[in-house]
Amino acid sequence: GSKEKTMNVVSFVMLQTVLKQESTDHGSAELKLYADHLEQTAQEIVKDIQKLQKEEESLRKLEAQLSDSLKMNLRWFRGLIVPDASSTLVDARMPHHLSSYAKMCWILQHQAAYLTQLSQYIHGDEAEIFLDAIDALFGDVKDERQVHLFNSLQTSMIAKEAENA
C-alpha cells in the first residue's frame, strides 16, 4: 500500500508541476474569449457567403440570357458543332456578335431582295453553300412564318429570273 501512496503522491506532484508550467493562455477566461472570437469570425464568414449568393444572382441571370440567346440563334444553323461555352476561353464579344447575326438573319428572311439578287450570281460549287444558307434561314417547315417568308423568297427569285430571261 505504501508504494501505491508514494506513486500517487509522485503523480500528484508531477501533475501540479505540469499545471504550474501551463501557459496562462489556457485559462478558462482566455479560452472563453478565444471561443467568442472564433464564433464572431464564423458569423462574419457566413455573412460573406450569403453576400456571394446575392452577388452571383446577377451573373446567373446574364448566363441564362446568353444561354437563351444561343439556343434561339443556333437552331438556325443545323449541322454545326456548338462550341463549349462553359470555357472561359470564349471571346467576351461573342454575345454581341450573336445579336448581330440574329439581326442579319431576320433581315435576310424579311428582305427577299438581298437573297434574290445574290442568287443571280451563284455558280457551280457556290450553289451548295447558298442552299445550306437558305436551309438555315428557312428550314423550319413547322414555323408558318418561315414557310411564308420562304415562299415570298421563291416568288421573288422566280420573278427576277423571268425579268432577266
Side-chain angles (χ1 to χ4, degrees):
S2 84
K3 205 178 203 188
E4 212 174 281
K5 283 185 183 179
T6 306
M7 290 293 282
N8 285 340
V9 171
V10 170
S11 295
F12 183 71
V13 171
M14 288 176 74
L15 184 59
Q16 281 183 322
T17 306
V18 169
L19 286 173
K20 286 178 186 176
Q21 292 174 353
E22 186 176 14
S23 171
T24 57
D25 292 347
H26 298 142
S28 60
E30 289 79 13
L31 289 176
K32 170 84 170 105
L33 285 173
Y34 187 64
D36 290 345
H37 169 72
L38 289 177
E39 186 173 333
Q40 182 180 359
T41 302
Q43 288 174 353
E44 290 171 4
I45 291 171
V46 168
K47 286 179 184 177
D48 288 343
I49 291 171
Q50 289 171 341
K51 285 180 189 176
L52 283 176
Q53 187 177 15
K54 291 176 184 174
E55 292 171 1
E56 288 177 349
E57 189 173 324
S58 64
L59 179 61
R60 279 188 236 110
K61 286 181 183 177
L62 289 173
E63 287 175 344
Q65 289 173 352
L66 175 60
S67 176
D68 291 345
S69 176
L70 287 170
K71 287 176 186 173
M72 182 182 88
N73 291 310
L74 289 177
R75 68 186 168 120
W76 304 113
F77 300 99
R78 289 172 181 52
L80 293 179
I81 297 172
V82 179
D84 179 14
S86 66
S87 169
T88 57
L89 300 177
V90 173
D91 191 335
R93 298 171 295 176
M94 181 61 80
H96 172 72
H97 291 306
L98 286 176
S99 174
S100 297
Y101 292 140
K103 289 175 186 174
M104 181 184 66
C105 289
W106 189 91
I107 290 169
L108 289 174
Q109 285 177 332
H110 288 82
Q111 301 295 325
Y114 294 119
L115 292 173
T116 298
Q117 188 67 28
L118 179 62
S119 71
Q120 301 298 304
Y121 300 99
I122 302 297
H123 301 289
D125 295 338
E126 298 169 341
E128 186 176 338
I129 296 169
F130 182 75
L131 292 174
D132 286 345
I134 296 296
D135 185 49
L137 289 167
F138 304 99
D140 188 358
V141 295
K142 295 177 184 173
D143 183 356
E144 290 181 32
R145 182 186 68 85
Q146 281 189 34
V147 171
H148 172 73
L149 292 170
F150 179 67
N151 288 336
S152 296
L153 174 65
Q154 285 180 319
T155 302
S156 176
M157 289 172 70
I158 290 169
K160 190 69 168 177
E161 282 287 328
E163 181 183 308
N164 290 337

